[in-house]
Amino acid sequence: MISRAAKVGGFVVLVLSILYFMTAARTVGPGDSGELTSVMVSWGVAHPPGYPLLTLLGNLVHRLPFPGEPAFPLNLLSALFGALAAGVLAMAVARATRDPIAGALSGLALGVSRLFWEYSLVVEVFSLNALFGALLLYFLVELTRSRAEGKPALWTLPAIALTASQALTHHLTLVLLAVPVILAVLLMVARPQESGLEPAATRRALWLAVAAGLVGLLPLVYLPIASASQPVLAWGEASSPTGFIRQLLRSDYGSGTLMSPWGVAKLVLEEGESIAPTLGHHLLRFWMEIPRSLGWLLPALSLAGFVVAFRDRTAPWRLFLTGWLGMVAIFFLRVNSPLIPLHLGVTERFYI
């Protein structure tokens, strides 16, 4: 029998799929879409960290019989990821709150928000990353809910590990959710009997989680193989061990920062100190974008829900919420994009 949460998620996916199909770009879109489209139709290697999973999926979709512009089906693939992300989020909220209306409202609000909708209409990396983030949230909700109901869903442990490993095969910003989710799960499994988990079954699930995490890293093999074949478009030298590590660490952009510090310093020297961001500037812009994309009512409801969850939920939820806020703050405090329209436009994609 299909659960209420699944029905809510399916409804959101259906509505947004229709909306995205009607509004998706029919040709190559802006930003990195041109590069990603070229990489996907030629078995190439994209800019760091390479996005091997998305490239593999895009290459497979490109092989399907589809008349017309080659970029269109790839744009639809991105749109499908966006619709699924919103649908999974709707499932998570509906399951957590036992309220299908809250779930549907959450999923649809995300799906039609300014940045999320915009970057679901062209080939980009953010809708797939959002799908992985939504899955992590859903698995955490399912584990905590099923545990409270006396039937812990231990299958969520390998599912979380498999999804979290996509931070390396797709987009590193997934760690902003993966780390607090994993910490919350570890808090539950550290004392399985106190958490209502059967110790032997929990150990088996943890070993499966380790295996699933390793399996999730397999798309990384694509990078050295594709680079060695010398495709038409390939960034760096991922076929060598040093080049492979540089690709994953985004060394060309500056590991641990959004832009190369040298590039930022050069722009500041050319344009003046007024374009240099102050500490906390990008973090403030991130929070200001929420009411801009969603209006004021939904953020107010979300804040109320956050307070309720923090006060009434168990220790794992409190750890997750605290960890998520901390990870977001650390990330945006390290964002070093200059305050000029081009780079601010690039930075806002990461608000998703």
Side-chain angles (χ1 to χ4, degrees), residues 83-234:
L84 288 172
V88 174
L89 176 67
M91 288 176 56
V93 175
R95 180 79 167 104
T97 62
R98 298 191 180 94
D99 188 338
I101 295 177
L105 181 62
S106 300
L108 292 174
L110 174 67
V112 300
S113 61
R114 182 180 72 92
L115 289 172
F116 191 89
W117 191 350
E118 177 181 349
Y119 285 100
S120 292
L121 303 183
V122 296
V123 173
E124 263 291 1
V125 301
F126 300 101
S127 58
L128 179 56
N129 199 48
L131 174 57
F132 290 138
L135 285 169
L136 286 174
L137 288 174
Y138 175 73
F139 295 145
L140 179 61
V141 168
E142 184 62 37
L143 178 60
T144 55
R145 274 294 181 204
S146 61
R147 184 191 64 156
E149 295 165 356
K151 298 179 180 179
L154 292 176
W155 61 267
T156 56
L157 300 185
I160 288 171
L162 179 64
T163 306
S165 66
Q166 305 315 307
L168 288 177
T169 70
H170 185 59
H171 209 289
L172 291 172
T173 56
L174 188 62
V175 302
L176 301 181
L177 272 172
V179 168
V181 166
I182 291 173
L183 288 176
V185 170
L186 290 177
L187 182 62
M188 284 186 277
V189 302
R191 297 171 178 168
Q193 291 177 318
E194 294 181 15
S195 300
L197 307 178
E198 203 277 315
T202 302
R203 286 193 294 271
R204 288 194 298 270
L206 287 173
W207 280 112
L208 286 174
V210 172
L214 293 175
V215 169
L217 298 178
L218 287 178
L220 292 176
V221 178
Y222 170 83
L223 294 178
I225 293 176
S227 182
S229 67
Q230 298 183 338
V232 175
L233 183 59

Side-chain angles (χ1 to χ4, degrees), residues 9-317:
F11 168 76
V12 170
V13 171
L14 177 62
V15 170
L16 292 178
S17 294
I18 296 172
L19 181 62
Y20 291 168
F21 178 81
M22 295 173 60
T23 56
R26 264 49 182 176
T27 186
V28 176
D32 295 328
S33 296
E35 178 207 356
L36 292 172
T37 300
S38 300
V39 164
M40 289 179 181
V41 301
S42 63
W43 298 99
V45 178
H47 63 275
Y51 311 107
L53 178 62
L54 180 63
T55 303
L56 284 167
L57 295 174
N59 272 297
L60 294 175
V61 169
H62 173 64
R63 268 42 187 190
L64 298 176
F66 195 96
E69 171 63 52
F72 184 34
L74 298 178
N75 295 337
L76 292 181
L77 177 65
S78 183
L80 175 62
F81 291 146
L84 288 172
V88 174
L89 176 67
M91 288 176 56
V93 175
R95 180 79 167 104
T97 62
R98 298 191 180 94
D99 188 338
I101 295 177
L105 181 62
S106 300
L108 292 174
L110 174 67
V112 300
S113 61
R114 182 180 72 92
L115 289 172
F116 191 89
W117 191 350
E118 177 181 349
Y119 285 100
S120 292
L121 303 183
V122 296
V123 173
E124 263 291 1
V125 301
F126 300 101
S127 58
L128 179 56
N129 199 48
L131 174 57
F132 290 138
L135 285 169
L136 286 174
L137 288 174
Y138 175 73
F139 295 145
L140 179 61
V141 168
E142 184 62 37
L143 178 60
T144 55
R145 274 294 181 204
S146 61
R147 184 191 64 156
E149 295 165 356
K151 298 179 180 179
L154 292 176
W155 61 267
T156 56
L157 300 185
I160 288 171
L162 179 64
T163 306
S165 66
Q166 305 315 307
L168 288 177
T169 70
H170 185 59
H171 209 289
L172 291 172
T173 56
L174 188 62
V175 302
L176 301 181
L177 272 172
V179 168
V181 166
I182 291 173
L183 288 176
V185 170
L186 290 177
L187 182 62
M188 284 186 277
V189 302
R191 297 171 178 168
Q193 291 177 318
E194 294 181 15
S195 300
L197 307 178
E198 203 277 315
T202 302
R203 286 193 294 271
R204 288 194 298 270
L206 287 173
W207 280 112
L208 286 174
V210 172
L214 293 175
V215 169
L217 298 178
L218 287 178
L220 292 176
V221 178
Y222 170 83
L223 294 178
I225 293 176
S227 182
S229 67
Q230 298 183 338
V232 175
L233 183 59
W235 187 295
E237 296 292 340
S239 56
S240 68
T242 301
F244 179 75
I245 296 299
R246 284 182 60 84
Q247 187 88 344
L248 290 186
L249 295 181
R250 300 178 70 254
S251 298
D252 293 341
Y253 291 134
S255 300
T257 57
L258 197 56
M259 292 183 59
S260 167
W262 294 106
V264 175
K266 182 175 182 294
L267 283 172
V268 171
L269 289 174
E270 292 174 350
E271 303 290 337
E273 293 184 4
S274 61
I275 72 166
T278 57
L279 183 65
H281 179 92
H282 286 293
L283 179 61
L284 178 61
R285 289 181 67 93
F286 164 71
W287 289 114
M288 291 174 62
E289 176 60 34
I290 294 177
R292 183 184 178 194
S293 281
L294 298 170
W296 286 99
L297 176 60
L298 289 174
L301 291 174
S302 299
L303 180 60
F306 185 94
V307 172
V308 170
F310 196 86
R311 291 178 58 187
D312 297 342
R313 299 292 180 191
T314 57
W317 271 108

Side-chain angles (χ1 to χ4, degrees), residues 271 275 285 337-349:
E271 303 290 337
I275 72 166
R285 289 181 67 93
S337 305
L339 306 183
I340 55 179
L342 173 63
H343 293 291
L344 290 176
V346 172
T347 302
E348 71 173 8
R349 305 174 192 178

